[in-house]
Each structure stands twice: as C-alpha cells, then as structure tokens.
Amino acid sequence: MGTTQLESVPEPKYWHLRTVLSEALDSEFSVGEVLPNERELAARFGVARATLRQALEQLELEGRLQRRRGVGTTVAPPRMGVAVGTEQHDWPGTAGDAWQSVDCTHAVPPAAVAAALESGSEEAVHIVRRSRTGNGQQVAAELLYVPAASVPDLTAIDAPSGPARARAVLRELQRLELEGRERSVELGSARADDAKELDRLPGAPVLVVTTRFVTRGRTAAISVATYRADTCRLTFGDSGGMEIHHGPERQAS
Amino acid sequence: MGTTQLESVPEPKYWHLRTVLSEALDSEFSVGEVLPNERELAARFGVARATLRQALEQLELEGRLQRRRGVGTTVAPPRMGVAVGTEQHDWPGTAGDAWQSVDCTHAVPPAAVAAALESGSEEAVHIVRRSRTGNGQQVAAELLYVPAASVPDLTAIDAPSGPARARAVLRELQRLELEGRERSVELGSARADDAKELDRLPGAPVLVVTTRFVTRGRTAAISVATYRADTCRLTFGDSGGMEIHHGPERQAS
DNA sequence: GAGTGGTCTAGACCACTAG
DNA sequence: TAGTGGTCTAGACCACTCA
C-alpha cells in the first residue's frame, strides 16, 4: 500500500523518454537546431546518461536526430528519397545514373558473392567501387563484382586500375544483353571501410541492396550497395515524390 | 611502460568482440545452438557485461543471433527472403497473396498518411489490419488505409468490423482499376503494438515498406507494412531465390 | 525458484571538433 | 583547451521463461 502505483504499465524509461523527446522535436525544435548536450539532458530528465543515450539512439535510428562526436546532437531533416528502381532498367554505368565510379580492383570476392556468381570460389573478379551522393553528402557505397567471363573483350590497353579502368569495365558490361535483375534489401551494419566513406562510425545501420544482373540465364554481375539507413528512404516505382513521414501520431481505435 | 601496446589501432572493444564472435559463429556453432549466457561470455572475454552486450546487439542487428529474455541467445538461421515485388502487381487481397486479414476499423489516420491520401486531415478512413507469416512465425504487420471515397459501394450490410469487414473492403477495392504503385523502404523502430504482434520488444528494428496505390491519378489507398528487420530480407524481382549472405569475409585488396 | 536477457545507475576516461 | 559524443566499467534490480 505504501507504493503509489504511478505506472500500471511499467514502460521502460528510455522508451518513455524517446516519446517525450519525439514530441518535443515535433513542437519545439526545427531542422538543424542543436539539442542541449547529453549530460544536461540526462540531468534535466533525472536519468543516467546511459539511459538518455538509449533514447537518443532510437531517435537517431528513426532518422530524427543526427549526432556527431565533438560537435553535438542536431535535429535531422526528413529522410531523402533515393530512387533505386527505375534509373536502372539498364546496366549500371548507363549515362545519367546517379553513381560515380571511384576505382577498380581485381581480387577474390567474399565467399557469399562467389557462390552467387557461380564462379570458382577462388577465382578473382573485377571489383568496381562506386559512390552515390545526395543533398551534397555521400549516401551510398557500392561494390560491383564482375567476373572476367562477363567482359571478355576488356583489353589490357585500358588502365590497369583506377576510375578509368572502372569505366572501361562498365562499358564492356553494357555490350551484353540484360535479361533481368533480382534485387533484395536487408538491414546491415557498416563495415569499417564503408563507415568511413559514409562518414559514420563502424556498425552504423545501413540498408544493403543486393542486385543480381542476369544475362542469358547466367549471372553476369553482382552489385552490393550500402545506403545510410539514417538519412535515406529507398524508393521504388515511378516517382520519388512520396511524402509519408513520422509525425504526431494518432492512435487508431 | 607497464602498458603493453597491443593495439596500435585502438579499435573499440565491442567491435573487435563482434568480429571474434562472428568468426566463432561461422566455425564453431550451428544454427539453433544456444550460446553461453551473457555473464559467462563477458567473464570469458574479460569485459563488462554492457560491452559484451554491445557486440551481441550488433550481431542481432545483422541477423546472426536471436536473443530471448528468460531463454537465452541462439544462433539465428539465415534471413528468409520475403517477396514484396511481384506478388502485388495487383491490389492487396488478391487471391494467393501472402497476407491474412485480421480486422478492420474506421478511424482518423496519422497526419502523415492523411496528407498522402489527399483527404481531409480529420477525415476517418477504413483501416485494414493484415499480417504475414513465414517459416511459421509472423514476419510483418500491415495497416492499409482506405478512404471511404475509394470504396463507395461498401454496404452497411457487411459486418461493421472484424475480418469479414476487412475482406469486404479489399473486395470493393479490387473493383477499381489499378494504375500504378509507388513503394519505399526505410528503417524504423517497432511501435509497441507492432512489436507485440511481431514478438519483439518495443523499438526493435523494422523495415517499413510504404506503398501508395494510384488509380485515375488519385491515391486510392496507402499501405504501411512493418517487417522484422532481423529475420527478413526483402526481395524484389522475379524470384526470391537469391542467396547472398554474410560469411567468412575476405578483404578485397 | 533458478536462470536468462533487459533496464538502469554513477561514475571514468577517450577521441574528436572547433574557437 | 574546452566541450562534445563514444566507450567502458562494476555493480544492482527487474521481467520473463521454464522445469
């Protein structure tokens, strides 16, 4: 009896905090504004800093906040729509696609990719690195695995590596007849190299888009593209103009 | 001088731990096997439990582990491919699609959905709840928002709520000519109700698939489907048979 | 009731950014 | 150099599952 039952549903503190902060973001903050620092916020809400951080992590995962070490926590803009559907009814590297070739190497792919390529498990392939920007920042990094058999006429005259080599591989690839593509999307965490390129910490959540390019019943190439999950909304279909976002939530009865 | 400099690159402990555990999972464990408990693992690696948990969280995010309170941590099977592309070149509810109607209510949608529906911000719409299972467990929950204007011939004779009502709404919807769909995928965290339905804790990572159904230039319905990000790989295209997974990673030079 | 993962605390130190 | 977020610790208690 001495216990006052304030919470009949003992919702976790960090979850309640997330809700409170989320509503505050909707009503009292504007995009780009910086929040008070974590120690200050924790004190203000009467919780340990770790608990406060758990709430902030949630909101960052949902794309509501952006945190940068040494700088502070700011209110993130709505996620940008990134088209991954229509601009590629063709081979990668077609004029006008959103990617920029970075370089090209020749190495043995990860085992999982090798299996999908139906190539020998120890066979080296061309690996084209490309990057994609949006709103002035890099939003995705791609590795395109191309077996030598898919680009038989690639001449040694072309540069052995670097962006020029990458473009040469893409050019050869486009000579094949594209039969179809299979694509999948899943959640992943950024490896160290991708994280650095995307200006995130290792382990940051990313959306991994895997595309298999099929020609004459065989797999001509595999693309593994890694998008920043915090800032990107992948769009499929005819337009990237959908605008369905978070917002003050109303409960359906 | 007493300090032995083992790490010239001071990689975070939890990240290194993630890598070590990941390799152990590849070589020493099989799917479904239970790991030692967290206190034991933390002691074995000589770190605090919180640090060990950070590593486990990463691996769970990547779909490598499954943790259940009161039970333990087990090795997760590879993510299942879930088709979200082809089975819906038609309206939802078409015979043979993967969803099962749960119920139907009539309420005002969240502001963001109302805006996309181009309906009045305070106008109630039909809300059909559906669920989707795979490999014997529920993998997704969907809310389908249908404005009254899209189903003008829906009669009061049909049940006012429940699964029967849901099917009635879907049936009426299918009488419209479907002009196109726009779809987007983004990362989100499960709200309390979705989390319960998906057998996860609140805040669990989910892939949110938003589909806008267009008919005669107008938005006839909006679907918001929430997939478990830990167990699902969303597939688009002709087959769900792609098998590109994690695995022992080899670095491209 | 024993054992599990989930939450929370109150500290400490580190890596990074910017004035 | 001051201030930020990121990492880590060593504990405590809670909610849940299952024998």
PDB file of all heavy atoms in Angstrom, chain A residues 52-88:
ATOM      1  N   LEU A  52      19.559   8.032 -21.099  1.00  0.00           N
ATOM      2  CA  LEU A  52      19.250   9.088 -22.056  1.00  0.00           C
ATOM      3  C   LEU A  52      19.785   8.721 -23.430  1.00  0.00           C
ATOM      4  O   LEU A  52      19.111   8.893 -24.453  1.00  0.00           O
ATOM      5  CB  LEU A  52      19.865  10.399 -21.545  1.00  0.00           C
ATOM      6  CG  LEU A  52      19.666  11.743 -22.254  1.00  0.00           C
ATOM      7  CD1 LEU A  52      20.758  12.002 -23.268  1.00  0.00           C
ATOM      8  CD2 LEU A  52      18.284  11.859 -22.899  1.00  0.00           C
ATOM      9  N   ARG A  53      20.991   8.170 -23.441  1.00  0.00           N
ATOM     10  CA  ARG A  53      21.599   7.799 -24.717  1.00  0.00           C
ATOM     11  C   ARG A  53      20.799   6.721 -25.433  1.00  0.00           C
ATOM     12  O   ARG A  53      20.726   6.709 -26.668  1.00  0.00           O
ATOM     13  CB  ARG A  53      23.033   7.323 -24.494  1.00  0.00           C
ATOM     14  CG  ARG A  53      24.044   8.456 -24.417  1.00  0.00           C
ATOM     15  CD  ARG A  53      25.452   7.936 -24.186  1.00  0.00           C
ATOM     16  NE  ARG A  53      25.927   7.080 -25.261  1.00  0.00           N
ATOM     17  CZ  ARG A  53      26.417   7.535 -26.408  1.00  0.00           C
ATOM     18  NH1 ARG A  53      26.497   8.818 -26.622  1.00  0.00           N
ATOM     19  NH2 ARG A  53      26.812   6.697 -27.346  1.00  0.00           N
ATOM     20  N   GLN A  54      20.199   5.824 -24.673  1.00  0.00           N
ATOM     21  CA  GLN A  54      19.379   4.789 -25.297  1.00  0.00           C
ATOM     22  C   GLN A  54      18.213   5.411 -26.062  1.00  0.00           C
ATOM     23  O   GLN A  54      17.859   4.968 -27.157  1.00  0.00           O
ATOM     24  CB  GLN A  54      18.857   3.829 -24.217  1.00  0.00           C
ATOM     25  CG  GLN A  54      19.166   2.368 -24.490  1.00  0.00           C
ATOM     26  CD  GLN A  54      18.634   1.458 -23.409  1.00  0.00           C
ATOM     27  OE1 GLN A  54      18.766   1.768 -22.223  1.00  0.00           O
ATOM     28  NE2 GLN A  54      18.035   0.358 -23.795  1.00  0.00           N
ATOM     29  N   ALA A  55      17.639   6.441 -25.480  1.00  0.00           N
ATOM     30  CA  ALA A  55      16.535   7.127 -26.156  1.00  0.00           C
ATOM     31  C   ALA A  55      17.032   7.851 -27.404  1.00  0.00           C
ATOM     32  O   ALA A  55      16.395   7.794 -28.465  1.00  0.00           O
ATOM     33  CB  ALA A  55      15.865   8.105 -25.194  1.00  0.00           C
ATOM     34  N   LEU A  56      18.176   8.504 -27.281  1.00  0.00           N
ATOM     35  CA  LEU A  56      18.721   9.224 -28.435  1.00  0.00           C
ATOM     36  C   LEU A  56      19.070   8.260 -29.567  1.00  0.00           C
ATOM     37  O   LEU A  56      18.880   8.573 -30.747  1.00  0.00           O
ATOM     38  CB  LEU A  56      19.968  10.020 -28.023  1.00  0.00           C
ATOM     39  CG  LEU A  56      19.759  11.158 -27.030  1.00  0.00           C
ATOM     40  CD1 LEU A  56      21.078  11.892 -26.785  1.00  0.00           C
ATOM     41  CD2 LEU A  56      18.700  12.136 -27.533  1.00  0.00           C
ATOM     42  N   GLU A  57      19.579   7.092 -29.195  1.00  0.00           N
ATOM     43  CA  GLU A  57      19.916   6.107 -30.221  1.00  0.00           C
ATOM     44  C   GLU A  57      18.681   5.704 -31.021  1.00  0.00           C
ATOM     45  O   GLU A  57      18.728   5.582 -32.240  1.00  0.00           O
ATOM     46  CB  GLU A  57      20.528   4.856 -29.566  1.00  0.00           C
ATOM     47  CG  GLU A  57      22.040   4.882 -29.521  1.00  0.00           C
ATOM     48  CD  GLU A  57      22.589   4.103 -28.334  1.00  0.00           C
ATOM     49  OE1 GLU A  57      22.032   3.051 -27.996  1.00  0.00           O
ATOM     50  OE2 GLU A  57      23.589   4.571 -27.733  1.00  0.00           O
ATOM     51  N   GLN A  58      17.584   5.491 -30.328  1.00  0.00           N
ATOM     52  CA  GLN A  58      16.334   5.169 -31.006  1.00  0.00           C
ATOM     53  C   GLN A  58      15.981   6.248 -32.016  1.00  0.00           C
ATOM     54  O   GLN A  58      15.675   5.969 -33.170  1.00  0.00           O
ATOM     55  CB  GLN A  58      15.192   5.026 -29.984  1.00  0.00           C
ATOM     56  CG  GLN A  58      15.205   3.737 -29.214  1.00  0.00           C
ATOM     57  CD  GLN A  58      14.767   2.562 -30.061  1.00  0.00           C
ATOM     58  OE1 GLN A  58      14.114   2.741 -31.083  1.00  0.00           O
ATOM     59  NE2 GLN A  58      15.156   1.368 -29.665  1.00  0.00           N
ATOM     60  N   LEU A  59      16.019   7.492 -31.550  1.00  0.00           N
ATOM     61  CA  LEU A  59      15.605   8.591 -32.416  1.00  0.00           C
ATOM     62  C   LEU A  59      16.567   8.754 -33.590  1.00  0.00           C
ATOM     63  O   LEU A  59      16.157   9.134 -34.686  1.00  0.00           O
ATOM     64  CB  LEU A  59      15.518   9.889 -31.599  1.00  0.00           C
ATOM     65  CG  LEU A  59      14.368   9.884 -30.587  1.00  0.00           C
ATOM     66  CD1 LEU A  59      14.504  11.040 -29.605  1.00  0.00           C
ATOM     67  CD2 LEU A  59      13.028   9.962 -31.315  1.00  0.00           C
ATOM     68  N   GLU A  60      17.843   8.448 -33.360  1.00  0.00           N
ATOM     69  CA  GLU A  60      18.794   8.522 -34.469  1.00  0.00           C
ATOM     70  C   GLU A  60      18.494   7.423 -35.485  1.00  0.00           C
ATOM     71  O   GLU A  60      18.528   7.651 -36.691  1.00  0.00           O
ATOM     72  CB  GLU A  60      20.223   8.387 -33.939  1.00  0.00           C
ATOM     73  CG  GLU A  60      21.268   8.710 -34.989  1.00  0.00           C
ATOM     74  CD  GLU A  60      22.677   8.627 -34.450  1.00  0.00           C
ATOM     75  OE1 GLU A  60      22.907   7.814 -33.539  1.00  0.00           O
ATOM     76  OE2 GLU A  60      23.538   9.369 -34.943  1.00  0.00           O
ATOM     77  N   LEU A  61      18.162   6.228 -34.965  1.00  0.00           N
ATOM     78  CA  LEU A  61      17.808   5.110 -35.834  1.00  0.00           C
ATOM     79  C   LEU A  61      16.607   5.454 -36.701  1.00  0.00           C
ATOM     80  O   LEU A  61      16.483   5.023 -37.843  1.00  0.00           O
ATOM     81  CB  LEU A  61      17.484   3.882 -34.983  1.00  0.00           C
ATOM     82  CG  LEU A  61      17.602   2.520 -35.644  1.00  0.00           C
ATOM     83  CD1 LEU A  61      19.047   2.149 -35.819  1.00  0.00           C
ATOM     84  CD2 LEU A  61      16.877   1.466 -34.824  1.00  0.00           C
ATOM     85  N   GLU A  62      15.696   6.233 -36.148  1.00  0.00           N
ATOM     86  CA  GLU A  62      14.490   6.604 -36.885  1.00  0.00           C
ATOM     87  C   GLU A  62      14.713   7.810 -37.791  1.00  0.00           C
ATOM     88  O   GLU A  62      13.783   8.288 -38.427  1.00  0.00           O
ATOM     89  CB  GLU A  62      13.356   6.901 -35.895  1.00  0.00           C
ATOM     90  CG  GLU A  62      12.955   5.693 -35.069  1.00  0.00           C
ATOM     91  CD  GLU A  62      12.032   6.057 -33.923  1.00  0.00           C
ATOM     92  OE1 GLU A  62      11.268   7.030 -34.058  1.00  0.00           O
ATOM     93  OE2 GLU A  62      12.079   5.377 -32.885  1.00  0.00           O
ATOM     94  N   GLY A  63      15.941   8.309 -37.801  1.00  0.00           N
ATOM     95  CA  GLY A  63      16.241   9.423 -38.696  1.00  0.00           C
ATOM     96  C   GLY A  63      15.805  10.775 -38.170  1.00  0.00           C
ATOM     97  O   GLY A  63      15.755  11.741 -38.922  1.00  0.00           O
ATOM     98  N   ARG A  64      15.493  10.849 -36.874  1.00  0.00           N
ATOM     99  CA  ARG A  64      15.026  12.121 -36.324  1.00  0.00           C
ATOM    100  C   ARG A  64      16.176  12.990 -35.836  1.00  0.00           C
ATOM    101  O   ARG A  64      16.049  14.211 -35.774  1.00  0.00           O
ATOM    102  CB  ARG A  64      14.077  11.854 -35.142  1.00  0.00           C
ATOM    103  CG  ARG A  64      12.913  10.906 -35.436  1.00  0.00           C
ATOM    104  CD  ARG A  64      11.895  11.553 -36.329  1.00  0.00           C
ATOM    105  NE  ARG A  64      11.485  12.868 -35.888  1.00  0.00           N
ATOM    106  CZ  ARG A  64      10.544  13.111 -34.989  1.00  0.00           C
ATOM    107  NH1 ARG A  64       9.910  12.117 -34.429  1.00  0.00           N
ATOM    108  NH2 ARG A  64      10.228  14.347 -34.677  1.00  0.00           N
ATOM    109  N   LEU A  65      17.266  12.361 -35.425  1.00  0.00           N
ATOM    110  CA  LEU A  65      18.398  13.091 -34.867  1.00  0.00           C
ATOM    111  C   LEU A  65      19.675  12.743 -35.606  1.00  0.00           C
ATOM    112  O   LEU A  65      19.784  11.686 -36.210  1.00  0.00           O
ATOM    113  CB  LEU A  65      18.585  12.742 -33.380  1.00  0.00           C
ATOM    114  CG  LEU A  65      17.528  13.215 -32.400  1.00  0.00           C
ATOM    115  CD1 LEU A  65      17.874  12.749 -31.004  1.00  0.00           C
ATOM    116  CD2 LEU A  65      17.379  14.722 -32.462  1.00  0.00           C
ATOM    117  N   GLN A  66      20.623  13.646 -35.521  1.00  0.00           N
ATOM    118  CA  GLN A  66      21.946  13.378 -36.043  1.00  0.00           C
ATOM    119  C   GLN A  66      22.956  13.722 -34.966  1.00  0.00           C
ATOM    120  O   GLN A  66      22.915  14.814 -34.401  1.00  0.00           O
ATOM    121  CB  GLN A  66      22.175  14.235 -37.285  1.00  0.00           C
ATOM    122  CG  GLN A  66      23.508  14.017 -37.945  1.00  0.00           C
ATOM    123  CD  GLN A  66      23.498  14.493 -39.391  1.00  0.00           C
ATOM    124  OE1 GLN A  66      22.504  15.033 -39.849  1.00  0.00           O
ATOM    125  NE2 GLN A  66      24.595  14.301 -40.090  1.00  0.00           N
ATOM    126  N   ARG A  67      23.836  12.782 -34.632  1.00  0.00           N
ATOM    127  CA  ARG A  67      24.811  13.029 -33.566  1.00  0.00           C
ATOM    128  C   ARG A  67      26.207  12.997 -34.136  1.00  0.00           C
ATOM    129  O   ARG A  67      26.549  12.084 -34.900  1.00  0.00           O
ATOM    130  CB  ARG A  67      24.664  11.977 -32.462  1.00  0.00           C
ATOM    131  CG  ARG A  67      23.282  12.010 -31.822  1.00  0.00           C
ATOM    132  CD  ARG A  67      23.251  11.203 -30.555  1.00  0.00           C
ATOM    133  NE  ARG A  67      23.292   9.769 -30.777  1.00  0.00           N
ATOM    134  CZ  ARG A  67      23.414   8.879 -29.814  1.00  0.00           C
ATOM    135  NH1 ARG A  67      23.520   9.274 -28.567  1.00  0.00           N
ATOM    136  NH2 ARG A  67      23.428   7.596 -30.092  1.00  0.00           N
ATOM    137  N   ARG A  68      27.016  13.981 -33.795  1.00  0.00           N
ATOM    138  CA  ARG A  68      28.394  13.989 -34.257  1.00  0.00           C
ATOM    139  C   ARG A  68      29.330  14.260 -33.099  1.00  0.00           C
ATOM    140  O   ARG A  68      29.169  15.248 -32.377  1.00  0.00           O
ATOM    141  CB  ARG A  68      28.593  15.034 -35.355  1.00  0.00           C
ATOM    142  CG  ARG A  68      28.257  14.504 -36.748  1.00  0.00           C
ATOM    143  CD  ARG A  68      28.375  15.608 -37.777  1.00  0.00           C
ATOM    144  NE  ARG A  68      27.541  16.768 -37.442  1.00  0.00           N
ATOM    145  CZ  ARG A  68      27.593  17.933 -38.085  1.00  0.00           C
ATOM    146  NH1 ARG A  68      28.433  18.087 -39.066  1.00  0.00           N
ATOM    147  NH2 ARG A  68      26.795  18.926 -37.728  1.00  0.00           N
ATOM    148  N   ARG A  69      30.289  13.364 -32.942  1.00  0.00           N
ATOM    149  CA  ARG A  69      31.234  13.474 -31.837  1.00  0.00           C
ATOM    150  C   ARG A  69      31.985  14.796 -31.921  1.00  0.00           C
ATOM    151  O   ARG A  69      32.421  15.203 -32.986  1.00  0.00           O
ATOM    152  CB  ARG A  69      32.210  12.297 -31.895  1.00  0.00           C
ATOM    153  CG  ARG A  69      33.383  12.454 -30.966  1.00  0.00           C
ATOM    154  CD  ARG A  69      33.980  11.125 -30.595  1.00  0.00           C
ATOM    155  NE  ARG A  69      34.217  10.236 -31.728  1.00  0.00           N
ATOM    156  CZ  ARG A  69      34.831   9.063 -31.600  1.00  0.00           C
ATOM    157  NH1 ARG A  69      35.227   8.647 -30.426  1.00  0.00           N
ATOM    158  NH2 ARG A  69      35.020   8.313 -32.651  1.00  0.00           N
ATOM    159  N   GLY A  70      32.145  15.433 -30.794  1.00  0.00           N
ATOM    160  CA  GLY A  70      32.867  16.688 -30.755  1.00  0.00           C
ATOM    161  C   GLY A  70      32.030  17.877 -31.171  1.00  0.00           C
ATOM    162  O   GLY A  70      32.445  19.022 -31.019  1.00  0.00           O
ATOM    163  N   VAL A  71      30.848  17.619 -31.690  1.00  0.00           N
ATOM    164  CA  VAL A  71      30.002  18.703 -32.170  1.00  0.00           C
ATOM    165  C   VAL A  71      28.735  18.805 -31.348  1.00  0.00           C
ATOM    166  O   VAL A  71      28.508  19.787 -30.641  1.00  0.00           O
ATOM    167  CB  VAL A  71      29.649  18.511 -33.661  1.00  0.00           C
ATOM    168  CG1 VAL A  71      28.749  19.634 -34.144  1.00  0.00           C
ATOM    169  CG2 VAL A  71      30.920  18.455 -34.492  1.00  0.00           C
ATOM    170  N   GLY A  72      27.898  17.780 -31.440  1.00  0.00           N
ATOM    171  CA  GLY A  72      26.648  17.832 -30.694  1.00  0.00           C
ATOM    172  C   GLY A  72      25.550  17.060 -31.398  1.00  0.00           C
ATOM    173  O   GLY A  72      25.785  16.363 -32.382  1.00  0.00           O
ATOM    174  N   THR A  73      24.344  17.168 -30.866  1.00  0.00           N
ATOM    175  CA  THR A  73      23.191  16.472 -31.420  1.00  0.00           C
ATOM    176  C   THR A  73      22.268  17.482 -32.077  1.00  0.00           C
ATOM    177  O   THR A  73      21.873  18.463 -31.451  1.00  0.00           O
ATOM    178  CB  THR A  73      22.435  15.721 -30.314  1.00  0.00           C
ATOM    179  OG1 THR A  73      23.323  14.811 -29.683  1.00  0.00           O
ATOM    180  CG2 THR A  73      21.254  14.967 -30.879  1.00  0.00           C
ATOM    181  N   THR A  74      21.944  17.247 -33.331  1.00  0.00           N
ATOM    182  CA  THR A  74      21.097  18.188 -34.064  1.00  0.00           C
ATOM    183  C   THR A  74      19.846  17.481 -34.582  1.00  0.00           C
ATOM    184  O   THR A  74      19.806  16.264 -34.699  1.00  0.00           O
ATOM    185  CB  THR A  74      21.848  18.802 -35.255  1.00  0.00           C
ATOM    186  OG1 THR A  74      22.273  17.747 -36.118  1.00  0.00           O
ATOM    187  CG2 THR A  74      23.059  19.587 -34.799  1.00  0.00           C
ATOM    188  N   VAL A  75      18.826  18.277 -34.881  1.00  0.00           N
ATOM    189  CA  VAL A  75      17.585  17.742 -35.427  1.00  0.00           C
ATOM    190  C   VAL A  75      17.787  17.465 -36.914  1.00  0.00           C
ATOM    191  O   VAL A  75      18.200  18.351 -37.664  1.00  0.00           O
ATOM    192  CB  VAL A  75      16.430  18.738 -35.234  1.00  0.00           C
ATOM    193  CG1 VAL A  75      15.142  18.169 -35.800  1.00  0.00           C
ATOM    194  CG2 VAL A  75      16.272  19.074 -33.765  1.00  0.00           C
ATOM    195  N   ALA A  76      17.537  16.233 -37.316  1.00  0.00           N
ATOM    196  CA  ALA A  76      17.799  15.822 -38.697  1.00  0.00           C
ATOM    197  C   ALA A  76      16.660  16.260 -39.616  1.00  0.00           C
ATOM    198  O   ALA A  76      15.504  16.321 -39.191  1.00  0.00           O
ATOM    199  CB  ALA A  76      17.973  14.309 -38.769  1.00  0.00           C
ATOM    200  N   PRO A  77      16.972  16.553 -40.865  1.00  0.00           N
ATOM    201  CA  PRO A  77      15.907  16.819 -41.837  1.00  0.00           C
ATOM    202  C   PRO A  77      15.205  15.516 -42.183  1.00  0.00           C
ATOM    203  O   PRO A  77      15.739  14.442 -41.897  1.00  0.00           O
ATOM    204  CB  PRO A  77      16.671  17.371 -43.044  1.00  0.00           C
ATOM    205  CG  PRO A  77      18.036  16.778 -42.931  1.00  0.00           C
ATOM    206  CD  PRO A  77      18.300  16.653 -41.454  1.00  0.00           C
ATOM    207  N   PRO A  78      14.002  15.579 -42.777  1.00  0.00           N
ATOM    208  CA  PRO A  78      13.326  14.349 -43.194  1.00  0.00           C
ATOM    209  C   PRO A  78      14.233  13.554 -44.122  1.00  0.00           C
ATOM    210  O   PRO A  78      15.050  14.129 -44.846  1.00  0.00           O
ATOM    211  CB  PRO A  78      12.095  14.850 -43.945  1.00  0.00           C
ATOM    212  CG  PRO A  78      11.873  16.238 -43.462  1.00  0.00           C
ATOM    213  CD  PRO A  78      13.218  16.778 -43.106  1.00  0.00           C
ATOM    214  N   ARG A  79      14.102  12.233 -44.079  1.00  0.00           N
ATOM    215  CA  ARG A  79      14.944  11.403 -44.928  1.00  0.00           C
ATOM    216  C   ARG A  79      14.734  11.752 -46.396  1.00  0.00           C
ATOM    217  O   ARG A  79      13.613  12.022 -46.815  1.00  0.00           O
ATOM    218  CB  ARG A  79      14.598   9.933 -44.722  1.00  0.00           C
ATOM    219  CG  ARG A  79      15.124   9.369 -43.431  1.00  0.00           C
ATOM    220  CD  ARG A  79      14.899   7.880 -43.391  1.00  0.00           C
ATOM    221  NE  ARG A  79      15.496   7.284 -42.195  1.00  0.00           N
ATOM    222  CZ  ARG A  79      14.861   6.442 -41.394  1.00  0.00           C
ATOM    223  NH1 ARG A  79      13.610   6.108 -41.655  1.00  0.00           N
ATOM    224  NH2 ARG A  79      15.461   5.932 -40.359  1.00  0.00           N
ATOM    225  N   MET A  80      15.809  11.703 -47.152  1.00  0.00           N
ATOM    226  CA  MET A  80      15.666  11.967 -48.587  1.00  0.00           C
ATOM    227  C   MET A  80      15.264  10.688 -49.304  1.00  0.00           C
ATOM    228  O   MET A  80      15.703   9.592 -48.950  1.00  0.00           O
ATOM    229  CB  MET A  80      16.981  12.509 -49.149  1.00  0.00           C
ATOM    230  CG  MET A  80      18.110  11.505 -49.184  1.00  0.00           C
ATOM    231  SD  MET A  80      19.652  12.200 -49.822  1.00  0.00           S
ATOM    232  CE  MET A  80      20.497  12.627 -48.301  1.00  0.00           C
ATOM    233  N   GLY A  81      14.413  10.841 -50.309  1.00  0.00           N
ATOM    234  CA  GLY A  81      14.036   9.697 -51.125  1.00  0.00           C
ATOM    235  C   GLY A  81      15.135   9.405 -52.128  1.00  0.00           C
ATOM    236  O   GLY A  81      15.589  10.311 -52.816  1.00  0.00           O
ATOM    237  N   VAL A  82      15.575   8.162 -52.171  1.00  0.00           N
ATOM    238  CA  VAL A  82      16.638   7.776 -53.097  1.00  0.00           C
ATOM    239  C   VAL A  82      16.085   6.706 -54.029  1.00  0.00           C
ATOM    240  O   VAL A  82      15.695   5.631 -53.577  1.00  0.00           O
ATOM    241  CB  VAL A  82      17.854   7.221 -52.327  1.00  0.00           C
ATOM    242  CG1 VAL A  82      18.963   6.841 -53.299  1.00  0.00           C
ATOM    243  CG2 VAL A  82      18.353   8.241 -51.324  1.00  0.00           C
ATOM    244  N   ALA A  83      16.038   7.029 -55.313  1.00  0.00           N
ATOM    245  CA  ALA A  83      15.441   6.092 -56.272  1.00  0.00           C
ATOM    246  C   ALA A  83      16.380   4.933 -56.544  1.00  0.00           C
ATOM    247  O   ALA A  83      17.547   5.138 -56.880  1.00  0.00           O
ATOM    248  CB  ALA A  83      15.112   6.817 -57.564  1.00  0.00           C
ATOM    249  N   VAL A  84      15.905   3.714 -56.382  1.00  0.00           N
ATOM    250  CA  VAL A  84      16.713   2.550 -56.720  1.00  0.00           C
ATOM    251  C   VAL A  84      15.976   1.658 -57.710  1.00  0.00           C
ATOM    252  O   VAL A  84      16.427   0.564 -58.013  1.00  0.00           O
ATOM    253  CB  VAL A  84      17.077   1.712 -55.473  1.00  0.00           C
ATOM    254  CG1 VAL A  84      18.018   2.474 -54.583  1.00  0.00           C
ATOM    255  CG2 VAL A  84      15.836   1.301 -54.734  1.00  0.00           C
ATOM    256  N   GLY A  85      14.855   2.147 -58.206  1.00  0.00           N
ATOM    257  CA  GLY A  85      14.059   1.305 -59.090  1.00  0.00           C
ATOM    258  C   GLY A  85      14.277   1.584 -60.553  1.00  0.00           C
ATOM    259  O   GLY A  85      14.880   0.799 -61.271  1.00  0.00           O
ATOM    260  N   THR A  86      13.815   2.736 -60.987  1.00  0.00           N
ATOM    261  CA  THR A  86      13.703   2.977 -62.419  1.00  0.00           C
ATOM    262  C   THR A  86      15.016   3.325 -63.092  1.00  0.00           C
ATOM    263  O   THR A  86      15.228   2.969 -64.236  1.00  0.00           O
ATOM    264  CB  THR A  86      12.715   4.127 -62.662  1.00  0.00           C
ATOM    265  OG1 THR A  86      13.033   5.181 -61.757  1.00  0.00           O
ATOM    266  CG2 THR A  86      11.302   3.673 -62.431  1.00  0.00           C
ATOM    267  N   GLU A  87      15.874   4.029 -62.392  1.00  0.00           N
ATOM    268  CA  GLU A  87      17.082   4.507 -63.068  1.00  0.00           C
ATOM    269  C   GLU A  87      17.991   3.355 -63.476  1.00  0.00           C
ATOM    270  O   GLU A  87      19.033   3.571 -64.060  1.00  0.00           O
ATOM    271  CB  GLU A  87      17.832   5.500 -62.176  1.00  0.00           C
ATOM    272  CG  GLU A  87      18.987   4.907 -61.399  1.00  0.00           C
ATOM    273  CD  GLU A  87      18.517   4.013 -60.250  1.00  0.00           C
ATOM    274  OE1 GLU A  87      17.282   3.786 -60.124  1.00  0.00           O
ATOM    275  OE2 GLU A  87      19.352   3.544 -59.504  1.00  0.00           O
ATOM    276  N   GLN A  88      17.553   2.164 -63.163  1.00  0.00           N
ATOM    277  CA  GLN A  88      18.400   1.035 -63.532  1.00  0.00           C
ATOM    278  C   GLN A  88      17.625  -0.073 -64.225  1.00  0.00           C
ATOM    279  O   GLN A  88      17.746  -1.229 -63.885  1.00  0.00           O
ATOM    280  CB  GLN A  88      19.106   0.464 -62.292  1.00  0.00           C
ATOM    281  CG  GLN A  88      20.338   1.260 -61.905  1.00  0.00           C
ATOM    282  CD  GLN A  88      21.193   0.503 -60.918  1.00  0.00           C
ATOM    283  OE1 GLN A  88      20.763  -0.468 -60.320  1.00  0.00           O
ATOM    284  NE2 GLN A  88      22.428   0.933 -60.754  1.00  0.00           N
TER     285      GLN A  88
END
